[in-house]
Structure formats: C-alpha cells, structure tokens
Amino acid sequence: MTKKAKVAIVCVVAALTVLVAVVLPVTLYFTGIIDYADKAESTIGKYLMAYFTGNEPEQERICFAVSEDGYLFTPLNGNKPVIEQTLGTKSARDPYLFRAEDGTYYILATDMKSEDGWSSNHRIIVWHSSDLLDWEEVGLIDMREYGLPDTVRAWAPQAIWDEEKGAYMLYWTNCENSEEKGWSGTVIWYAYTDDFTKLTTDPAILFAPPGGKDAIDADIIEKDGVYYMYYKDENESNICYATATSPSGPYTLPDDPVVSVFYTDVEGNFIYNITGTDSYVMMLDCYSKGKFVLQQTEDMTSFKRVDPSDYDFSFSPRHGSVMSITDTQYEALIGRYGK
C-alpha cells in the first residue's frame, strides 16, 4: 500500500469518527429522532439538592436547590452557600446529602481546595442536622490516620446502611502517592462507621475496574435486593455499573457496563427515585460542557435521555446529590433561605 493510500484511509477513518461522535447525535437531537424517556409524575413530597458551583475557593461551598417534581430545580439563598465551613481547607466539593437511620441528616463532602491541585487532599468533611436548616460540623475523617498514609485523593464520599453489619458503609475514591511505591490506582475504597466521626474498620478496596483502569464518583443504590454501583470510568469518561448482593460486594461487571447515553464527558453521577413511581433519574455533570443532564431508567440498567425541556439546572451546579423531602420541609427551607 502506498503512503498516499494510507493517508487517505486515515483521513476517512477520522471523518467517520467525527460523523459518529459529533454530527450524528446533533442531527438526531434536532430532528427529534432521540427516544426520550417519559417524565415521571412525582406523587409524594418534594426534593432537595446539595451541590457546589465551581473550582474557585468561593465556589467550593455547600449550596441547596429545591424541586417540586424532581426535574425542575430552583436554587435557594440566591445560589449562595447555606453552610459556612470552618474546618480543613475551608473548601468542599461533591456533597452527599442523606437521612440516617436515626433520623439525623448528614452531608459528606470532599475537603479539598482545587486550586491546590487535583492530588492535594486526604480528608473528607462531615456535617449533621436535625431539620435540614441548621447544620453543625461533625468533623474531618483523615484517611492518612487509617492505614492510608500516602493518600493524595480522598474524593466523593458517600454512605449506605448495611443491615447485616448494623452500621454505615462509608465509601469514597482514594489514591496514594509515595516516593517508595509511586502512584496507586484511583479506585473505590470503603470502611464502616458508627457515627461518622471515625472509621471502625480498616479501609479496603471496594471496587477496582479490570485492566488497571481508574474509577471515581461511586454511587450505590439498592433495588429488589441488588446493589447497583454506578461510577465514572476515568479512562473513557463515561458512566459504568457493577452489581452485588451486599453493600460491601463483591461487585461484578456485566458484559456491557456502560450506562451513560450522552456523547460527551460525564462524571458526578447520582441516581434517585421519582417518589411514588418506578422511575429513577440519574443526573450527570457534563464537566467539559459546563452543564447538567438527566437520564432515566426503570430497570436500573437501560437508560433513556430526559428531554432538556423537562428539567432545569440553569444555576451551574457541580457534582452533588438529591434526596426526597416532605412538603413541610420544603416550605421550611424556602422560608429560611428564599428561592
């Protein structure tokens, strides 16, 4: 084969790649060929979202937004922080908001100032509240104090109740770096905790993709006795899933683990139920586009896009979480912070 022929083949392949990756999805979008999910009708309560807004120190703060239907969100407090952080780096990212078994509300977040670099943190920060209005810092959990002395990334903490253990399983993205051992993989670790002030078991790897790939931003949800872990494949910048029969695994990858249905880089995935329905919405942070998108499922593995006209995240949120709240809590939050 001549050199010119080889160049021609390379050009054709490149053109086809652009066609499939860029032109095709744009064409499908504007011609209405995309099969969008039907918007589910929420029948119980409202929704609260916790998030941060950017990579500047003043944007790495905990903010709240509310929604009546789980799709259209409105920021509270003028899209300004609702919690003052006094511990650690004074910057927080990736907030995970949830209600514990005893009725206490918690926020877990990455204690990190991104201007110090993406490999500059080793702690997570915890807040709690009895009413979602007044928040108190529980403290910092430092991974370097629990057998991970060279941690340089402790990202995106979340927790799930383990009924068999009678405790919460805390899980997060961890990476170590040392002169002796070099860089470890950036993968998902876990440990148990009684009160989110300390770890009660030694940290261990919860999930690492095969082939030495990195995995971040794990989000675990249980449905019908199956635990679904959704995570970002750092190498491909898409969202994949694995399943297990207990929170602590082992987690197994299916033949086709990819669940994200957007033609762009995504991370910060979080899935939640539209209350009173069998539909689950996954929100995704399209960090390269500066926007949020939604996709929806009923079987937890087959997703469809949600029509952009059916949701609103026009206040520039970054990786966050959503939980259902009561009508009374919704009114109290608006009364405290204003829409």
Side-chain angles (χ1 to χ4, degrees):
M1 183 181 295
T2 66
K3 184 177 181 179
K4 287 185 177 180
K6 291 181 179 179
V7 171
I9 291 174
V10 171
C11 291
V12 170
V13 171
L16 289 174
T17 301
V18 171
L19 177 66
V20 172
V22 180
V23 178
L24 179 60
V26 171
T27 301
L28 291 175
Y29 179 84
F30 285 106
T31 56
I33 297 176
I34 293 178
D35 183 18
Y36 288 117
D38 294 328
K39 186 175 180 180
E41 294 291 334
S42 182
T43 60
I44 305 170
K46 304 292 191 293
Y47 303 83
L48 175 63
M49 177 182 180
Y51 61 96
F52 70 109
T53 60
N55 295 334
E56 299 299 324
E58 63 273 13
Q59 297 173 320
E60 293 169 322
R61 304 284 189 269
I62 307 300
C63 297
F64 282 170
V66 290
S67 172
E68 295 188 34
D69 63 1
Y71 296 88
L72 301 168
F73 283 84
T74 302
L76 297 178
N77 200 36
N79 204 26
K80 296 177 182 178
V82 297
I83 295 175
E84 180 182 357
Q85 181 178 347
T86 65
L87 299 176
T89 65
K90 310 295 193 299
S91 291
R93 302 170 62 88
D94 321 317
Y96 174 62
L97 170 68
F98 69 103
R99 182 180 183 273
E101 293 292 302
D102 64 359
T104 303
Y105 296 96
Y106 285 92
I107 294 176
L108 315 178
T110 306
D111 175 48
M112 174 178 161
K113 185 181 294 184
S114 61
E115 69 175 17
D116 292 338
W118 297 109
S119 300
S120 63
N121 87 300
H122 48 93
R123 296 174 298 201
I124 67 172
I125 186 167
V126 183
W127 290 271
H128 67 184
S129 171
S130 62
D131 57 9
L132 297 173
L133 301 175
D134 299 304
W135 292 87
E136 179 183 352
E137 287 171 315
V138 176
L140 297 161
I141 298 178
D142 190 338
M143 300 312 166
R144 292 184 178 180
E145 298 177 358
Y146 292 96
L148 297 171
D150 301 309
T151 294
V152 291
R153 295 174 182 170
W155 294 348
Q158 294 194 191
I160 187 168
W161 177 252
D162 188 325
E163 187 67 38
E164 183 177 336
K165 298 280 199 310
Y168 271 94
M169 188 185 85
L170 177 69
Y171 59 98
W172 70 98
T173 303
N174 208 89
C175 177
E176 289 191 284
N177 182 30
S178 67
E179 291 184 6
E180 179 182 354
K181 298 179 181 179
W183 286 88
S184 72
T186 304
V187 296
I188 312 304
W189 285 68
Y190 79 106
Y192 283 85
T193 181
D194 293 329
D195 55 9
F196 296 99
T197 64
K198 61 186 180 303
L199 303 183
T200 56
T201 64
D202 293 333
I205 293 178
L206 178 63
F207 177 76
K213 287 187 172 183
D214 288 338
I216 69 170
D217 297 349
D219 176 34
I220 300 173
I221 189 171
E222 183 272 336
K223 186 175 187 294
D224 299 330
V226 178
Y227 291 85
Y228 296 85
M229 177 195 288
Y230 303 98
Y231 67 94
K232 180 193 177 186
D233 179 331
E234 271 280 66
N235 300 78
E236 304 297 333
S237 294
N238 55 23
I239 308 304
C240 298
Y241 82 101
T243 58
T245 56
S246 72
S248 58
Y251 283 86
T252 303
L253 281 172
D255 291 336
D256 181 10
V258 179
V259 293
S260 49
V261 294
F262 291 88
Y263 301 92
T264 186
D265 297 337
V266 288
E267 65 183 15
N269 49 283
F270 185 81
I271 193 166
Y272 56 96
N273 176 240
I274 300 299
T275 54
T277 79
D278 294 324
S279 294
Y280 290 77
V281 167
M282 179 183 288
M283 61 182 188
L284 305 168
D285 184 345
C286 293
Y287 56 95
S288 62
K289 305 287 185 181
K291 64 178 182 179
F292 259 38
V293 292
L294 294 185
Q295 59 184 45
Q296 189 168 302
T297 185
E298 291 187 356
D299 65 9
M300 313 307 284
T301 61
S302 302
F303 286 82
K304 292 182 179 180
R305 298 186 188 192
V306 177
D307 191 321
S309 65
D310 284 338
Y311 60 86
D312 185 11
F313 293 99
S314 57
F315 45 96
S316 302
R318 298 293 311 279
H319 183 176
S321 58
V322 172
M323 66 170 287
S324 61
I325 58 175
T326 66
D327 292 341
T328 301
Q329 289 171 325
Y330 175 84
E331 294 299 334
L333 283 160
I334 292 175
R336 169 68 68 89
Y337 297 112
K339 278 192 176 181

